Amino acid sequence: MTTYLVTGGAGFVGSHLIDRLLDEGHSVLCVDNMVTGSRANIAHHLSNPKFEMMRHDVTFPLYVEVDAVFNLACPASPVSYQKDPVQTIKTSVLGAINILGLAKRLKCPVVQASTSEVYGSPERHPQDETYWGNVNPIGPRACYDEGKRAAETLFFDYRRQHNVDAKVVRIFNTYGPRMAVDDGRVVSNFIVQALKGEDITIYGDGTQTRSFCYVSDLVDGLVKTMEISRDFSGPVNIGNPAELSVHDLAEQIIDLTRSKSRLKTMPLPVDDPIKRKPDISIAREHLKWSPEVELEDGLIATVDYFRSLGM
């Protein structure tokens, strides 16, 4: 049995990761400042003696005793991270410093939840881990994009300078139950609008592409990254390489929900990527990982979740 620290554990991805770790018999300390996290996501664990919740902001040092750390703390949707951009970049950079300092003291492994946003609006397609990206350092998304890039730098510097067992996972678009209703991500937006019978808002002409990974597949990739030898550091892309247009996603969700919603186009936000697709060769080779959940199956489960909220 291992005691894991999961920062951002009350969030969408963090709560599913905690489910997995507890199911495997481990103990979990969930740390979250509850800015974007939800108590409802972890409420089913509150009576579990192997689960502990701590309200704490990772921009301040954390003094706990654990065996391994998953650092997921940071708002991840454009709506969330642009509400307070200064705090967003603080969470990425100061949070990484504090979590790496903890891992250095405890001599324990730590996995950083980075993002495909480090590639910016990519000029290479699909995106592999050797690509340095095309990021606007002064745009409205930079607080997240550059914050995560700086966090990656810190993880590799701590690895080189202090021999910390630090690993980096670059997460591509992920969806599933427990997504926030108002987080502004394309899957949740489309499902909520379809269930309400509202017009489905497409930003741009809808030809921009994304690749969607179901949350259980992502969690499996995070766990396998933690469990692999310390010789492997990443960065490693974790995402589904099946690519489709935003327009096609909207049509599929309309069909699944049997909605009468119509499509409505709006201007594309500044610096919004036109294409996004992971090259997962490294994950396949080193982690023996690849996604298993088909998009339709994952969307059905996600639609059922939003229906359960009374949408």
Side-chain angles (χ1 to χ4, degrees):
M1 185 183 70
T2 301
T3 298
Y4 286 97
L5 166 62
V6 180
T7 69
F12 160 50
V13 173
S15 63
H16 283 280
L17 174 59
I18 288 173
D19 289 350
R20 166 75 176 266
L21 297 173
L22 290 172
D23 285 346
E24 292 180 350
H26 302 295
S27 294
V28 175
L29 171 60
C30 169
V31 167
D32 205 300
N33 65 1
M34 306 306 285
V35 170
T36 57
S38 169
R39 186 178 176 86
N41 290 340
I42 55 170
H44 55 298
H45 294 311
L46 294 177
S47 62
N48 187 337
K50 292 185 177 180
F51 175 79
E52 183 178 356
M53 171 68 197
M54 176 188 293
R55 189 161 186 160
H56 178 83
D57 190 320
V58 296
T59 60
F60 298 94
L62 183 62
Y63 302 101
V64 296
E65 302 296 322
V66 295
D67 302 311
V69 182
F70 287 98
N71 185 36
L72 277 64
C74 191
S77 72
V79 169
S80 298
Y81 65 66
Q82 290 179 32
K83 281 182 181 178
D84 190 343
V86 172
Q87 184 62 27
T88 294
I89 199 166
K90 279 184 174 182
T91 301
S92 288
V93 177
L94 297 179
I97 290 170
N98 289 327
I99 293 304
L100 286 162
L102 176 69
K104 176 187 172 185
R105 177 177 68 83
L106 297 176
K107 296 181 172 58
C108 75
V110 54
V111 171
Q112 164 71 357
S114 190
T115 172
S116 60
E117 299 293 344
V118 300
Y119 298 121
S121 184
E123 296 176 339
R124 181 188 298 181
H125 192 74
Q127 295 82 58
D128 64 80
E129 294 86 347
T130 65
Y131 179 48
W132 290 354
N134 177 41
V135 176
N136 176 5
I138 60 171
R141 301 170 68 101
C143 59
Y144 185 68
D145 301 1
E146 296 287 29
K148 289 290 190 176
R149 285 163 68 94
E152 286 196 13
T153 300
L154 285 162
F155 265 67
F156 280 90
D157 283 341
Y158 266 77
R159 184 179 179 90
R160 287 185 287 257
Q161 186 173 340
H162 300 300
N163 198 32
V164 174
D165 182 4
K167 303 182 179 82
V168 171
V169 171
R170 289 175 177 166
I171 298 173
F172 280 69
N173 293 73
T174 303
Y175 70 102
R178 300 182 198 155
M179 296 183 80
V181 172
D182 58 351
D183 72 358
R185 299 187 211 196
V186 65
V187 172
S188 53
N189 270 5
F190 288 180
I191 290 175
V192 170
Q193 289 172 334
L195 290 176
K196 289 183 174 181
E198 300 173 350
D199 288 343
I200 289 182
T201 306
I202 292 179
Y203 294 95
D205 61 8
T207 59
Q208 65 268 36
T209 64
R210 296 292 185 268
S211 305
F212 298 98
C213 182
Y214 191 65
V215 65
S216 62
D217 283 332
L218 168 61
V219 165
D220 191 49
L222 289 169
V223 171
K224 287 185 174 180
T225 303
M226 176 64 79
E227 292 176 345
I228 198 171
S229 162
R230 66 179 292 137
D231 294 335
F232 179 84
S233 61
V236 56
N237 290 337
I238 297 293
N240 194 322
E243 183 181 19
L244 81 163
S245 71
V246 171
H247 180 278
D248 289 347
L249 173 69
E251 293 286 4
Q252 188 167 352
I253 288 174
I254 288 173
D255 289 342
L256 288 175
T257 57
R258 299 180 181 178
S259 174
K260 295 182 180 179
S261 296
R262 297 182 178 181
L263 305 183
K264 176 180 71 174
T265 59
M266 297 284 285
L268 194 68
V270 175
D271 297 331
D272 197 56
I274 300 301
K275 288 185 177 292
R276 183 61 58 73
K277 175 183 176 179
D279 180 326
I280 61 169
S281 302
I282 289 178
R284 291 183 191 275
E285 178 183 354
H286 292 276
L287 304 180
K288 311 304 179 190
W289 177 90
S290 60
E292 298 180 355
V293 179
E294 296 293 334
L295 179 62
E296 182 173 344
D297 295 333
L299 288 176
I300 289 171
T302 310
V303 167
D304 289 344
Y305 168 75
F306 281 106
R307 277 203 172 109
S308 75
L309 300 180
M311 289 293 102

